[in-house]
Amino acid sequence: MHEGVLQVLLVRAKGLRHTHSSHLFGKPLYYAVLQCGTKERKSKTTKGYEHEAIWNQEIEFEFPISEWKKLRHLKIRIMDENYFSNGGFVGQAIIFVGGIVEEGNDKGYIELHPSLYNVVLEDTTYKGEIKIGFKFSVNKDVRDKEGEEGSMQIIGTNWNLYKSFWRFLRFSSWWRFLFPYNKY
């Protein structure tokens, strides 16, 4: 059975608005709630400094590949932890991850460096931005008969060596020198 793992690097959010709840003493405390399909994860809570929250936290979602093909979006809600209630909604970002999953599934692994996404308020206006990076990898768990298990691992190992060799050739400078008109 194949399993896909989406790792979300929640870096920071800036330009955030304060919620209607007032903070009499101190600074706001921000946290994020990440939802992908039926799974929901909560980030650590961090103090807001001049409308900015810094998390630098990695959060993982694991699903079988069959479920990843149905999941298309990652929803991130930024909340302001309030001592008097459950927290105030600051804004959200909905990010399409279908392309990341498809390409990661084809290649076995994909990494997108942190990028900025708009934070959408309840009235559908934009206020602030959130910086997020992604990694998606496919874990191939081979569960065959005991007699076939050893041969399957050898084939998988050779295939990985073959793929690694071609990746090396593709990105090495002499390869580009020999074939200057080849577009990848």
Side-chain angles (χ1 to χ4, degrees), residues 75-182:
K75 183 177 184 180
I76 303 166
R77 292 186 318 264
I78 302 170
M79 307 294 285
D80 181 0
E81 188 174 271
N82 186 342
Y83 296 111
F84 304 110
S85 67
N86 292 336
F89 177 79
V90 175
Q92 71 179 1
I94 299 176
I95 301 167
F96 178 73
V97 293
I100 297 169
V101 171
E102 286 178 24
E103 193 164 341
N105 191 23
D106 292 343
K107 293 181 178 181
Y109 176 81
I110 188 171
E111 180 176 356
L112 298 175
H113 296 287
S115 299
L116 295 174
Y117 298 90
N118 288 330
V119 175
V120 182
L121 305 176
E122 286 178 313
D123 61 358
T124 67
T125 60
Y126 299 102
K127 176 70 174 151
E129 54 195 19
I130 187 166
K131 190 171 189 177
I132 302 170
F134 295 98
K135 290 180 190 176
F136 183 81
S137 60
V138 178
N139 297 332
K140 296 186 179 181
D141 183 17
V142 180
R143 295 180 189 165
D144 289 333
K145 298 175 186 172
E146 289 179 19
E148 297 175 0
E149 187 174 335
S151 63
M152 292 298 290
Q153 289 178 344
I154 292 171
I155 291 170
T157 303
N158 290 340
W159 178 249
N160 287 337
L161 289 173
Y162 174 78
K163 282 174 46 177
S164 298
F165 174 72
W166 281 109
R167 282 187 190 142
F168 169 74
L169 289 178
R170 192 168 133 196
F171 292 112
S172 62
S173 59
W174 68 271
W175 180 262
R176 291 184 186 150
F177 178 73
L178 291 175
F179 301 101
Y181 299 109
N182 187 5

Side-chain angles (χ1 to χ4, degrees), residues 15 47 62 90:
K47 287 184 181 179
E62 295 180 22
V90 175

